[in-house]
């Protein structure tokens, strides 16, 4: 069996879906791909450690089968999450277009430390680059780590990723390394901040999660067990009303970032476009006290 692995999405916890959809659509230029409502918490903690109704909104530049997208997780009754120092940024190609849309919508465009970026309604940073947009404008996600060598070993040896780039020594400048499963996929960048080797990463309540599709989740489970790293949730089958079931396993890296591996076949069925799957019933959400 061919072991296909593909980057899928990053999960953001948000406090107001309506303002976020406006930002992702009108500023970043994405569109809603599918929206799902759930009456109780997820068995694999997809909505965090919350036993309450929640919703999942997948949003991106194109189909989930070919693009790296974002999962906007809304927990009913929670308007704000404390943020840690884990997540750094998302990098998006097509700077000129995003800047023009941001200015037209009244969003501030920041210039700092050589970066141009915009902030989502929850304060998540989107760095904009002048790189030409080819298939997918999303270049990747960047997070902080305590020890880049420890992270390098985990991502290349345990999760079998390829290292595509590296720079810095962590002493005179930040140390960076970029990992992924294919050249044409969105990548995960890890950064050991200058002078902060060994400092624990604070995840707090807003912590995110990255997801990958995989042909068979067994090899990941075996590799993590063999390395004596952490499995947060053993393989579990998650149902979605009216859609395909998917098998997932949630592991944690050596800085306690959550990483979701999902069975490719079930995920491809789940994420396939269906008529009306992108519809959000704003009226029903308002009646349930959401997005205020």
């Amino acid at each position: 069996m061919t072991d296909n692995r593909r980057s899928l999405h990053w999960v953001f916890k948000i406090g107001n879906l309506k303002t976020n959809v406006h930002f992702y659509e009108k500023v970043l230029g994405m569109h809603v791909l599918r929206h799902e409502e759930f009456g109780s918490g997820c068995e694999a903690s997809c909505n965090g450690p919350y036993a309450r109704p929640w919703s999942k909104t997948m949003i991106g530049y194109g189909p989930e089968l070919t693009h790296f997208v974002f999962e906007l997780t809304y927990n009913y009754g929670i308007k704000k999450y404390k943020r840690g120092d884990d997540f750094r940024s998302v990098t998006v190609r097509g700077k000129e277009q995003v800047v023009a849309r941001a200015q037209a919508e009244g969003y501030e465009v920041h210039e700092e430390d050589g970066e141009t970026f915009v902030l989502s309604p929850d304060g998540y940073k989107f760095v904009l680059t002048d790189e030409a947009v080819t298939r997918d404008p999303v270049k990747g996600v960047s997070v902080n780590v305590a020890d880049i060598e420890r992270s390098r070993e985990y991502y290349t040896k345990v999760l079998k990723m390829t290292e595509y780039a590296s720079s810095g020594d962590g002493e005179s400048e930040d140390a960076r390394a970029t990992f992924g499963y294919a050249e044409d996929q969105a990548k995960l960048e890890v950064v050991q901040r200058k002078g902060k080797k060994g400092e624990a990463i604070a995840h707090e309540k807003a912590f995110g999660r990255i997801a990958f599709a995989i042909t068979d989740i067994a090899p990941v489970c075996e590799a993590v067990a063999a390395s004596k790293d952490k499995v947060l949730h053993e393989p579990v089958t998650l149902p979605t009303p009216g859609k395909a079931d998917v098998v997932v396993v949630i592991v944690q890296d050596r800085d306690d970032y959550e990483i979701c591996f999902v069975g490719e076949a079930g995920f491809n069925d789940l994420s396939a476009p269906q008529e009306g799957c992108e519809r959000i019933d704003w009226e029903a959400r308002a009646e349930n006290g959401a997005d205020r």
Side-chain angles (χ1 to χ4, degrees):
M1 179 185 293
T2 303
D3 184 15
N4 294 321
R5 301 189 184 196
R6 176 167 56 90
S7 58
L8 295 178
H9 57 257
W10 178 267
V11 179
F12 284 122
K13 294 189 186 74
I14 60 168
N16 186 309
L17 181 59
K18 186 168 286 188
T19 58
N20 273 273
V21 168
H22 181 272
F23 170 80
Y24 282 83
E25 290 187 335
K26 302 301 183 183
V27 176
L28 296 179
M30 301 182 189
H31 56 272
V32 174
L33 303 168
R34 58 186 171 99
H35 175 79
E36 295 151 6
E37 297 275 346
F38 301 88
S40 59
C42 172
E43 286 183 67
S45 302
C46 303
N47 64 315
Y50 303 104
R52 63 175 64 223
W54 65 288
S55 68
K56 172 199 301 184
T57 307
M58 310 306 295
I59 196 163
Y61 287 106
E64 293 176 72
L65 292 177
T66 54
H67 291 70
F68 188 85
V69 306
F70 300 93
E71 178 178 319
L72 306 182
T73 297
Y74 177 85
N75 284 292
Y76 281 84
I78 300 179
K79 296 182 179 181
K80 188 175 182 179
Y81 298 89
K82 183 179 180 181
R83 293 182 56 199
D85 62 358
D86 45 6
F87 173 81
R88 290 177 64 88
S89 62
V90 173
T91 299
V92 176
R93 304 177 182 95
K95 172 181 171 180
E96 184 178 351
Q97 297 90 335
V98 177
V99 167
R101 287 192 295 263
Q103 293 173 337
E105 293 294 329
Y107 278 83
E108 183 176 0
V109 177
H110 302 264
E111 300 280 351
E112 188 176 306
D113 297 329
E115 292 180 333
T116 301
F117 60 92
V118 292
L119 298 175
S120 78
D122 294 275
Y124 300 121
K125 183 178 181 180
F126 286 79
V127 175
L128 313 174
T129 76
D130 286 318
E131 295 177 47
V133 176
T134 52
R135 182 179 58 84
D136 186 356
V138 179
K139 186 175 181 179
V141 176
S142 180
V143 299
N144 288 319
V145 297
D147 185 330
I148 199 163
E149 291 303 327
R150 184 178 68 174
S151 296
R152 177 175 282 118
E153 180 184 41
Y154 182 81
Y155 284 101
T156 60
K157 303 299 185 184
V158 180
L159 298 190
K160 307 301 182 186
M161 291 186 181
T162 297
E163 183 172 348
Y164 286 91
S166 64
S167 65
D169 58 11
E171 297 178 2
S172 61
E173 60 183 330
D174 292 343
R176 299 169 179 266
T178 303
F179 305 102
Y181 284 120
E183 182 64 47
D184 63 348
Q185 295 178 14
K187 308 297 190 300
L188 176 66
E189 178 190 60
V190 301
V191 179
Q192 177 191 308
R193 292 164 291 179
K194 174 183 173 181
K196 293 191 175 183
K197 182 177 181 179
E199 287 192 17
I201 302 300
H203 293 284
E204 301 299 347
K205 296 295 186 181
F207 70 89
R209 170 189 286 183
I210 195 166
F212 299 92
I214 188 169
T215 305
D216 179 9
I217 64 174
V220 167
C221 298
E222 293 164 2
V224 172
S227 66
K228 294 182 170 52
D229 284 293
K230 301 175 185 177
V231 176
L232 181 63
H233 290 284
E234 297 289 345
V236 60
T237 300
L238 300 180
T240 298
K243 297 184 179 181
D245 294 345
V246 294
V247 179
V248 305
V249 62
I250 310 297
V251 300
Q252 284 184 300
D253 78 356
R254 292 166 186 178
D255 289 283
D256 289 335
Y257 285 99
E258 296 186 5
I259 305 164
C260 174
F261 283 91
V262 54
E264 183 180 46
F267 180 81
N268 288 351
D269 287 342
L270 172 66
S271 62
Q274 298 178 16
E275 185 176 354
C277 66
E278 78 288 354
R279 180 177 175 271
I280 301 173
D281 190 338
W282 295 112
E283 192 172 302
R285 289 179 63 84
E287 290 175 357
N288 289 320
D291 312 318
R292 294 177 178 173

